[in-house]
Amino acid sequence: MRRFYTLLLPLFLFASSATAQTTWYVPADFPTIQAGIDGSSNGDTVIVDAGTYFENINFNGKAITLKSERGPVHTIIDANQVGSVVTFNSSETVSSRLEGFGLRNGVGSLDATMNYLAGGGIFIESASPSIHDCHINNNSAVWGGGGIWCVGGSPELFGCWIWDNTAEFGGGILNYDSTMAVNGGGIWDNEADDGAGAYDLYASTVYTGCLFTNNIGITGGGLTVYGVCTPVLNNCIFAHNGSITGGAILCMFGANATLNHCTITGNNAWEGGGLALIWTANITNLNNCIFYGNSAGTGPQISGGTAVNATYCDIEGGFPGTGNIDLDPQLMNPLNNFELESTSPCIDAGDPASAPDPDGTRTDMGAVYYDQSASAPTLTLSNLVAGQTAIIEIENATGNDVCYFAWSLHGGGPTLTPWGDLLLTAPYQRITMMTNASGYASHSVAVPPSAAGMQLWCHAADAATQAFMNGLALVVQ
């Protein structure tokens, strides 16, 4: 029996080594990223040290994870105005993973389907890779997909930021006959003749939790949807995009888009500031959305509305449909904070048939729900005794962020500020406190021995939400 095990041992060792997964390092093991890809095997991981790498890379069908060690700000792949930065064109699947790189200065590759240069940042042809936490910027393509070009695949994007890319079609992204999934991240400051942010050409893309802002085109500032396809947008924000037609979104030639829980605000166009449907666009379905504060000569919120089915939406100027309202949604800051104020009429006003919000209440309208379960931030000050150490404490504030604590010896205000009434009388003093992940912060301060009997007024604010906490009026013991 012992001899039997001895004979089997080399076989086990061989099988183990044949399936082992190896981690390689660039430049420690390979001088370039492409050399690391070429020298790896399926299942391996290639980790790239910080730096700028002037090269073009192609996964060549490898089912590997290629990731940076220090993230996209510190690890750049620069195509130096030659070809696409990254190429997937060998039937890659989600097992081919790209993570944590800055991708810039690509000018695209020749696509066999359209016979044009496409995909300055990422070129995807009949492939379905997984792309995570990448910054895709300052790329271009003569024809389409300055940032990303995809044809005939089902790639997945997670937390990618796509900006300052240009093309004739799809400055940020151009999807053709594909089913891309874009999860989180943002698409901003891109330019194109059509579909400055993104362009879905016979493509049923699913966008979830995406921010489209400051994209500028001739048509379709944020997104153009063309041809018979069924893209879906969930919890997306379109703000401050612009074009002649369809400031935020343009649908045409049979497009059938669905928008759930989206906020469309501050976009502008000559026609259809928020949404334009032209040239026999199919039905576009809107549910639990906000269209407010957009501008256009014709149809500032929605143009071509006979092809729109809207329910439980807040649409400025009014729109027919079950549960629709026309009220100021009271966004925190329409310029850059699209959360709802606590008094917003969109809270608990969404479709009752929709799933409840994460706080268990009836769903809200818009991309960002108002959390009614969160405890309000509170301020306490203990051991306010002359000659001792007082403790200032803040609880339930925004985690890992800044809070301000202020105090006055002259009264409890109020003093008008952009954030509301400060319950202090000037002059007052202020300190900055940093919360931990749980939203807690504390600060110790020595109370002068001579302060006994003095009255002190205190107030604090959460900088992230621009919300004041409870005020305090105390006497030093």
Side-chain angles (χ1 to χ4, degrees):
M1 184 66 70
R2 183 175 180 181
R3 176 172 171 75
F4 177 72
Y5 283 126
T6 303
L7 290 172
L8 283 180
L9 183 58
L11 296 179
F12 283 124
L13 290 175
F14 177 80
S16 176
S17 63
T19 59
Q21 297 177 351
T22 304
T23 298
W24 305 97
Y25 293 88
V26 175
D29 296 317
F30 297 99
T32 66
I33 299 174
Q34 187 62 55
I37 295 172
D38 295 342
S40 64
S41 301
N42 289 341
D44 287 356
T45 297
V46 179
I47 299 178
V48 180
D49 199 1
T52 299
Y53 297 80
F54 292 95
E55 56 181 303
N56 311 89
I57 67 170
N58 191 321
F59 266 62
N60 291 321
K62 292 288 182 72
I64 62 171
T65 294
L66 175 65
K67 62 187 297 185
S68 70
E69 192 163 32
R70 294 187 55 197
V73 173
H74 302 287
T75 315
I76 311 295
I77 307 176
D78 190 319
N80 202 24
Q81 301 297 313
V82 177
S84 302
V85 183
V86 181
T87 297
F88 299 94
N89 63 352
S90 300
S91 301
E92 289 88 354
T93 69
V94 292
S95 296
S96 297
R97 177 179 174 125
L98 178 70
E99 179 180 346
F101 289 92
L103 310 175
R104 68 188 188 193
N105 289 331
V107 295
S109 302
L110 186 65
D111 175 70
T113 303
M114 307 303 292
N115 199 33
Y116 289 107
L117 287 176
I122 302 178
F123 182 95
I124 304 171
E125 187 176 60
S126 301
S128 304
S130 178
I131 302 167
H132 299 249
D133 302 316
C134 287
H135 291 176
I136 304 162
N137 64 295
N138 294 108
N139 302 284
S140 63
V142 173
W143 184 69
I148 301 174
W149 157 254
C150 177
V151 56
S154 300
E156 298 177 354
L157 273 66
F158 297 89
C160 293
W161 297 93
I162 304 167
W163 77 94
D164 281 345
N165 303 286
T166 61
E168 184 176 355
F169 300 97
I173 302 174
L174 175 54
N175 299 316
Y176 173 55
D177 192 25
S178 64
T179 54
M180 178 182 287
V182 183
N183 303 282
I187 302 170
W188 81 93
D189 284 351
N190 301 284
E191 295 184 6
D193 289 351
D194 198 356
Y199 195 115
D200 285 350
L201 178 61
Y202 299 101
S204 297
T205 305
V206 178
Y207 300 92
T208 303
C210 299
L211 172 65
F212 293 74
T213 185
N214 293 325
N215 300 289
I216 303 298
I218 297 175
T219 52
L223 170 68
T224 291
V225 183
Y226 182 108
V228 179
C229 54
T230 55
V232 176
L233 296 97
N234 300 311
N235 298 94
C236 291
I237 297 169
F238 286 77
H240 315 301
N241 303 285
S243 70
I244 295 175
T245 305
I249 302 172
L250 170 64
C251 295
M252 55 184 174
F253 289 122
N256 186 352
T258 297
L259 280 70
N260 300 306
H261 285 290
C262 291
T263 296
I264 318 293
T265 185
N267 305 281
N268 66 85
W270 288 1
E271 177 183 359
L275 169 66
L277 294 92
I278 62 174
W279 298 334
T280 65
N282 209 331
I283 294 295
T284 292
N285 298 293
L286 312 176
N287 189 236
N288 300 318
C289 293
I290 295 173
F291 280 76
Y292 216 89
N294 303 289
S295 61
T298 302
Q301 308 310 318
I302 299 173
S303 176
T306 57
V308 174
N309 176 28
T311 56
Y312 295 95
C313 292
D314 185 4
I315 302 176
E316 186 176 4
F319 201 87
T322 303
N324 292 334
I325 62 174
D326 174 16
L327 295 168
D328 184 348
Q330 297 181 32
L331 303 176
M332 284 281 191
N333 186 339
L335 293 176
N336 55 22
N337 186 345
F338 308 101
E339 298 176 89
L340 302 174
E341 296 274 11
S342 61
T343 54
S344 170
C346 296
I347 297 172
D348 296 341
D351 189 344
S354 298
D357 285 335
D359 61 6
T361 62
R362 176 175 165 175
T363 193
D364 301 339
M365 297 175 178
V368 185
Y369 82 99
Y370 181 80
D371 189 354
Q372 300 177 62
S373 68
S375 299
T378 57
L379 167 68
T380 59
L381 197 159
S382 59
N383 199 43
L384 187 61
V385 179
Q388 297 189 24
T389 300
I391 307 298
I392 305 164
E393 294 180 283
I394 290 173
E395 297 181 277
N396 301 320
T398 303
N400 295 322
D401 217 314
V402 170
C403 287
Y404 298 115
F405 171 80
W407 69 95
S408 172
L409 300 175
H410 304 278
T415 299
L416 182 63
T417 77
W419 294 1
D421 286 338
L422 174 66
L423 302 181
L424 300 176
T425 300
Y428 50 84
Q429 299 184 64
R430 188 186 77 177
I431 63 172
T432 298
M433 300 172 65
M434 194 74 186
T435 61
N436 62 16
S438 300
Y440 175 81
S442 66
H443 183 78
S444 300
V445 59
V447 183
S450 59
M454 295 180 63
Q455 191 163 4
L456 180 71
W457 288 265
C458 306
H459 210 186
D462 186 328
T465 61
Q466 300 182 0
F468 284 116
M469 303 173 201
N470 54 294
L472 300 173
L474 305 168
V475 176
V476 180
Q477 302 301 308

